[in-house]
Amino acid sequence: MTIQTIAVIGAGSMGHQIAMLCALGGYATKLQDIHEHALTKAKATLEDIMNKWVNKGKITEEKKEAAFSRLSFTTSLEEAVKEADFVIEAVVEKLDVKREVFAQLDRFAPAHAILATNSSTIVNSLIADVTNRTDKVINMHFFFPPLVMDCIEVVMSEQTSDETAHITMDVCKQINRTGVLLRREISGFVANRILGALQREAVALYEKGIADFKDIDLICKKALNHPIGPFELMDLSGIDVVYYVMQQRYAETGDPEDRPFACIEEKVKQGHLGRKTGRGWYVYEKQPLNRS
């Protein structure tokens, strides 16, 4: 099957950049969100990023214009996917929401279309059973920010076909990203399991009063040569995303070690979600989140 049209569902911090990657890769791309203001913000943010790329010589003006000519925006899910060969879901990291979206995708998308989830931790077998195409459902986990990070975890379930996996890996190559295929499911995949272990230990040390979060970040950067510390990374990714991931892991395992930390839950309740709200572990000047 040749992929010509891709639909991206959800225009948030991940979705709009994934859509631009697809458009830059030559695909006719439709970006859908239920909120018109989210699409307006997404378009403005992408124009800003691409203009910076042109100014820095990363891309020509002609290639930028060609990419935008392939990219369209809609609030209608049916309109977005009715002609799609490949769909990438990038909605909130909540299982019930994703299952609801995939049930609709199964109704509206052509029978041949592959349905991929950008979930950072939820395995696709927990979603695929709401569709009539479990062999065509797969994880396609991009990393934030997608326009910068060169890695995609492609994860198969026992039902995912080899053809679906191969096509998804081909899409990764076409959009100039390194796809890594995992043939066995595990919650959190590889990167987030390793990252989660680091974050859990960092927060535990903080809650026990061993060190301040700023000092923990400093040690990770200076002693371990990490580009940013675990608390800075939580602010960048979104503390609410970290919270939802821990909630989902705890729901799956029942292990008290996987329960969200009290300090994380408190920040979510306060609305201090990191860079996107101007305050998380650190305080930031409010500005659009675009990594150029």
CSV table of all heavy atoms in Angstrom, one decimal, residues 4 12 16 34 61 67 70 112 117-118 120 131 150 156 166 170 178 189 216 235 245 256 272 274 281 289:
chain,number,residue,atom,x,y,z
A,4,GLN,N,-0.4,8.1,0.7
A,4,GLN,CA,-0.4,9.4,0.1
A,4,GLN,C,-1.0,10.5,1.0
A,4,GLN,O,-0.5,11.7,1.0
A,4,GLN,CB,-1.2,9.4,-1.2
A,4,GLN,CG,-0.6,8.5,-2.3
A,4,GLN,CD,-1.5,8.4,-3.5
A,4,GLN,OE1,-2.7,8.4,-3.5
A,4,GLN,NE2,-0.8,8.4,-4.7
A,12,GLY,N,-2.3,19.7,19.5
A,12,GLY,CA,-1.5,20.2,20.7
A,12,GLY,C,0.0,20.3,20.4
A,12,GLY,O,0.4,20.3,19.3
A,16,HIS,N,0.6,19.2,16.1
A,16,HIS,CA,0.9,20.2,15.0
A,16,HIS,C,2.2,20.0,14.4
A,16,HIS,O,2.4,20.2,13.2
A,16,HIS,CB,0.6,21.6,15.5
A,16,HIS,CG,1.7,22.2,16.4
A,16,HIS,ND1,1.8,21.8,17.8
A,16,HIS,CD2,2.7,23.1,16.2
A,16,HIS,CE1,2.8,22.5,18.3
A,16,HIS,NE2,3.4,23.2,17.4
A,34,ILE,N,-10.8,19.5,17.7
A,34,ILE,CA,-12.2,19.8,18.0
A,34,ILE,C,-12.3,21.3,18.2
A,34,ILE,O,-13.4,21.9,18.1
A,34,ILE,CB,-12.8,19.0,19.1
A,34,ILE,CG1,-12.0,19.2,20.4
A,34,ILE,CG2,-12.9,17.6,18.7
A,34,ILE,CD1,-12.7,18.5,21.6
A,61,GLU,N,12.7,28.7,1.2
A,61,GLU,CA,11.3,29.3,1.1
A,61,GLU,C,10.4,28.5,0.3
A,61,GLU,O,9.2,28.3,0.7
A,61,GLU,CB,11.4,30.8,0.6
A,61,GLU,CG,10.0,31.5,0.5
A,61,GLU,CD,9.5,31.9,1.9
A,61,GLU,OE1,10.3,32.0,2.9
A,61,GLU,OE2,8.2,32.0,2.0
A,67,ALA,N,5.4,22.7,1.7
A,67,ALA,CA,4.9,22.0,2.8
A,67,ALA,C,3.5,22.5,3.3
A,67,ALA,O,2.6,21.8,3.6
A,67,ALA,CB,5.9,22.0,4.0
A,70,ARG,N,0.6,21.5,1.3
A,70,ARG,CA,0.1,20.2,1.5
A,70,ARG,C,-0.6,20.0,2.9
A,70,ARG,O,-1.2,18.9,3.1
A,70,ARG,CB,1.3,19.2,1.5
A,70,ARG,CG,1.9,19.0,0.1
A,70,ARG,CD,2.9,17.9,0.1
A,70,ARG,NE,4.2,18.3,0.7
A,70,ARG,CZ,5.2,18.8,0.1
A,70,ARG,NH1,5.2,19.0,-1.2
A,70,ARG,NH2,6.3,19.1,0.7
A,112,HIS,N,-8.7,0.4,4.5
A,112,HIS,CA,-7.3,0.1,4.3
A,112,HIS,C,-6.4,0.9,5.3
A,112,HIS,O,-5.2,0.7,5.4
A,112,HIS,CB,-6.9,0.3,2.9
A,112,HIS,CG,-6.8,1.8,2.5
A,112,HIS,ND1,-7.9,2.4,1.9
A,112,HIS,CD2,-5.9,2.7,2.6
A,112,HIS,CE1,-7.6,3.6,1.7
A,112,HIS,NE2,-6.4,3.9,2.0
A,117,THR,N,-1.2,5.3,17.2
A,117,THR,CA,-1.3,6.2,18.3
A,117,THR,C,0.0,6.7,18.7
A,117,THR,O,1.0,6.0,18.7
A,117,THR,CB,-2.0,5.5,19.5
A,117,THR,OG1,-1.9,6.3,20.7
A,117,THR,CG2,-1.3,4.2,19.9
A,118,ASN,N,0.1,8.0,19.0
A,118,ASN,CA,1.3,8.6,19.5
A,118,ASN,C,1.5,8.5,21.0
A,118,ASN,O,2.3,9.2,21.6
A,118,ASN,CB,1.4,10.1,19.1
A,118,ASN,CG,2.6,10.8,19.6
A,118,ASN,OD1,3.7,10.4,19.4
A,118,ASN,ND2,2.4,12.0,20.2
A,120,SER,N,2.6,7.9,24.6
A,120,SER,CA,4.0,7.8,25.2
A,120,SER,C,4.1,6.6,26.1
A,120,SER,O,5.2,6.3,26.6
A,120,SER,CB,4.4,9.1,25.9
A,120,SER,OG,3.5,9.3,27.0
A,131,THR,N,-11.8,-1.3,17.5
A,131,THR,CA,-11.9,-1.2,16.0
A,131,THR,C,-12.1,-2.6,15.4
A,131,THR,O,-12.0,-3.6,16.1
A,131,THR,CB,-10.6,-0.6,15.5
A,131,THR,OG1,-9.5,-1.7,15.5
A,131,THR,CG2,-10.1,0.6,16.3
A,150,ASP,N,14.9,13.2,16.7
A,150,ASP,CA,15.0,12.2,15.6
A,150,ASP,C,14.9,10.8,16.1
A,150,ASP,O,15.8,10.0,16.1
A,150,ASP,CB,16.4,12.4,14.9
A,150,ASP,CG,16.6,11.3,13.8
A,150,ASP,OD1,15.6,10.9,13.3
A,150,ASP,OD2,17.8,11.0,13.5
A,156,MET,N,4.6,-2.9,18.0
A,156,MET,CA,3.6,-3.8,17.5
A,156,MET,C,2.9,-4.5,18.7
A,156,MET,O,3.6,-4.8,19.7
A,156,MET,CB,4.2,-4.9,16.6
A,156,MET,CG,4.9,-4.4,15.4
A,156,MET,SD,5.8,-5.8,14.5
A,156,MET,CE,4.4,-6.8,14.0
A,166,HIS,N,5.8,-2.6,8.7
A,166,HIS,CA,6.7,-2.2,7.6
A,166,HIS,C,6.3,-0.8,7.0
A,166,HIS,O,7.1,0.0,6.7
A,166,HIS,CB,6.8,-3.2,6.5
A,166,HIS,CG,7.4,-4.5,7.0
A,166,HIS,ND1,7.1,-5.7,6.5
A,166,HIS,CD2,8.3,-4.7,8.0
A,166,HIS,CE1,7.8,-6.7,7.1
A,166,HIS,NE2,8.5,-6.1,8.0
A,170,ASP,N,8.3,2.7,7.0
A,170,ASP,CA,8.5,3.5,5.8
A,170,ASP,C,8.1,4.9,5.9
A,170,ASP,O,8.8,5.8,5.4
A,170,ASP,CB,7.8,2.8,4.6
A,170,ASP,CG,8.4,1.5,4.1
A,170,ASP,OD1,9.6,1.3,4.5
A,170,ASP,OD2,7.7,0.8,3.5
A,178,THR,N,14.2,8.6,12.5
A,178,THR,CA,14.7,7.2,12.8
A,178,THR,C,13.6,6.4,13.5
A,178,THR,O,13.3,6.7,14.7
A,178,THR,CB,16.0,7.3,13.6
A,178,THR,OG1,17.0,8.0,12.9
A,178,THR,CG2,16.5,5.8,13.9
A,189,PHE,N,7.1,1.5,26.8
A,189,PHE,CA,8.1,1.2,25.8
A,189,PHE,C,9.5,1.2,26.3
A,189,PHE,O,9.7,0.7,27.4
A,189,PHE,CB,7.9,2.1,24.6
A,189,PHE,CG,6.5,2.4,24.2
A,189,PHE,CD1,6.0,3.7,24.0
A,189,PHE,CD2,5.5,1.4,24.2
A,189,PHE,CE1,4.7,3.9,23.7
A,189,PHE,CE2,4.2,1.6,23.9
A,189,PHE,CZ,3.8,2.9,23.7
A,216,ILE,N,19.3,18.6,42.3
A,216,ILE,CA,19.2,17.3,41.6
A,216,ILE,C,19.4,17.5,40.1
A,216,ILE,O,20.1,16.8,39.4
A,216,ILE,CB,17.8,16.6,41.9
A,216,ILE,CG1,17.8,16.3,43.4
A,216,ILE,CG2,17.7,15.4,41.1
A,216,ILE,CD1,16.4,15.8,43.8
A,235,ASP,N,9.0,19.8,33.3
A,235,ASP,CA,8.4,21.1,32.9
A,235,ASP,C,8.3,21.2,31.4
A,235,ASP,O,7.3,21.8,30.8
A,235,ASP,CB,9.3,22.3,33.4
A,235,ASP,CG,9.0,22.6,34.8
A,235,ASP,OD1,8.1,22.0,35.4
A,235,ASP,OD2,9.6,23.6,35.4
A,245,VAL,N,0.7,9.7,32.7
A,245,VAL,CA,1.5,8.5,32.4
A,245,VAL,C,1.6,7.6,33.7
A,245,VAL,O,1.4,6.4,33.7
A,245,VAL,CB,2.9,8.9,31.9
A,245,VAL,CG1,3.8,7.7,31.9
A,245,VAL,CG2,2.8,9.4,30.5
A,256,PRO,N,2.2,0.1,44.1
A,256,PRO,CA,2.3,1.4,44.8
A,256,PRO,C,3.5,2.3,44.3
A,256,PRO,O,3.4,3.5,44.4
A,256,PRO,CB,2.4,1.1,46.3
A,256,PRO,CG,1.8,-0.3,46.4
A,256,PRO,CD,2.1,-1.0,45.1
A,272,HIS,N,0.0,24.2,37.7
A,272,HIS,CA,1.4,24.5,37.4
A,272,HIS,C,2.0,23.4,36.6
A,272,HIS,O,2.6,22.5,37.2
A,272,HIS,CB,2.2,24.8,38.7
A,272,HIS,CG,1.6,25.9,39.5
A,272,HIS,ND1,1.9,26.1,40.9
A,272,HIS,CD2,0.8,27.0,39.2
A,272,HIS,CE1,1.3,27.2,41.3
A,272,HIS,NE2,0.6,27.7,40.3
A,274,GLY,N,4.2,23.5,34.0
A,274,GLY,CA,5.5,23.6,33.3
A,274,GLY,C,5.6,24.8,32.4
A,274,GLY,O,4.9,25.8,32.6
A,281,TRP,N,8.0,23.3,38.0
A,281,TRP,CA,9.0,23.3,39.0
A,281,TRP,C,9.8,24.6,39.0
A,281,TRP,O,10.2,25.1,40.0
A,281,TRP,CB,10.0,22.2,38.7
A,281,TRP,CG,9.4,20.8,39.0
A,281,TRP,CD1,9.0,19.9,38.0
A,281,TRP,CD2,9.2,20.2,40.2
A,281,TRP,NE1,8.4,18.8,38.6
A,281,TRP,CE2,8.6,18.9,40.0
A,281,TRP,CE3,9.4,20.6,41.6
A,281,TRP,CZ2,8.2,18.1,41.0
A,281,TRP,CZ3,9.0,19.7,42.6
A,281,TRP,CH2,8.4,18.5,42.3
A,289,LEU,N,5.4,27.7,22.9
A,289,LEU,CA,6.3,26.6,23.0
A,289,LEU,C,6.6,26.2,21.6
A,289,LEU,O,5.9,25.4,21.0
A,289,LEU,CB,5.8,25.4,23.8
A,289,LEU,CG,6.4,25.1,25.1
A,289,LEU,CD1,5.9,23.8,25.6
A,289,LEU,CD2,7.9,25.1,25.0
